[in-house]
Every structure is written in structure tokens, then in C-alpha cells.
Amino acid sequence: MILLLALLFSIAIALVRGGRFRWLAQVSLRLGWLAIAAFALQWSIIYAPLPHTEGPFAPRTLILIASYLLVLVVVVVNRRVPGVAVMGIGLGMNLLVMLVNGGFMPVTMEAVERAGLAHLALGTEAGARLMATKDIILPAEATRLWLLSDIFAVPPPLPFRTVFSLGDLFL
């Protein structure tokens, strides 16, 4: 959700600054199809979640990590395109915290509750998934690299409630 908000916010800023949609056609991304394939893989994991993670070597976990690695390849190949290197930093931060915490993005139940998203939790215990996200519930003290996890919350009454990470800000 936060990436969709960032995209909409970026488009609004670009339009206010005199940008045009047709200029996007001039941006040439190599291996762009690979990013689309990676997002399709992520979508299959995010929108068909199991209640709990199955561990770091489970097929779903490996597919999610592989999808991030595919996007990382696209970033490396296109690193000279303006803004892509910054996106790569955010992607790397997110991938790192996910790798050291079993393959999914850790979030505390407190952050989920601050965002008003507790109804999406498929459980409250460590390892429970958050529906329609790449997040797993982990207490802060059990989270490796906690500062890079989904620690920020957009709370109600804002219409776009979500949790997000420092890496998401870079993305």
C-alpha cells in the first residue's frame, strides 16, 4: 500500500512541477519485464497468504525472496537511470531485514494496531501473517535489524492506513 501511495504522490509532484505522462515513454528500462514477473510472484504470495510463515526454506518464502532478487537485478542493470540507485538502496534495506528474519518483513503487533490494521492479522503470535501484505508479526525484541522493519504507521483516521519501513521511504 505504501508503494502505491508513494507512486501517486510522486505523480502528483511531477505534474505540479510541469511533468507530462508522455515523458515516461522516454524512460528506457532494461529487463523491465523481469520486474513485472517479480511483482507477479510477490502478488501470488501476498494475496494468498498462509496463516503462519513456514520457515526460511519453505517454497513461498523462497519465491518471495527470489522475486526481490529479480527486482534487484533490474535495479543493478538500470542503476544509471535517475532515481533507480535510491530505489535500490530501499530495496536492499528491505531485502536485508527480510532475509535475517526468515524471509518476510517483520512488524510488531503494536505497529499494526497503531495503523488500525489489527483485523488483517491472521494471528497475534510471532510468525503470524498479516493478510494482503508481505509482513509477519514479530515482537521488537525478536526482530533482527528492527530499525529496518515495518516500524512506521499511518494511523486512522487517514484513509490510507498502513505500516512501512525505512527502506519503503527510499523506494
Side-chain angles (χ1 to χ4, degrees), residues 5-17:
L5 290 175
L7 177 65
L8 294 174
F9 188 64
S10 299
I11 290 170
I13 289 172
L15 292 174
V16 166
R17 295 187 67 215

Side-chain angles (χ1 to χ4, degrees), residues 84-109:
V84 171
V86 174
M87 291 172 51
I89 291 168
L91 179 68
M93 293 165 80
N94 284 352
L95 180 58
L96 178 62
V97 72
M98 290 169 62
L99 283 172
V100 300
N101 286 288
F104 286 86
M105 178 61 81
V107 62
T108 63
M109 194 62 196

Side-chain angles (χ1 to χ4, degrees), residues 45-87:
I45 300 301
I46 290 170
Y47 289 100
L50 294 175
H52 294 84
T53 59
E54 302 167 299
F57 299 108
R60 288 173 178 251
T61 307
L62 294 174
I63 290 170
L64 184 61
I65 295 303
S67 73
Y68 268 77
L69 293 173
L70 291 175
V71 175
L72 194 57
V73 167
V74 175
V75 166
V76 169
V77 167
N78 293 287
R79 66 188 173 279
R80 292 190 183 5
V81 174
V84 171
V86 174
M87 291 172 51

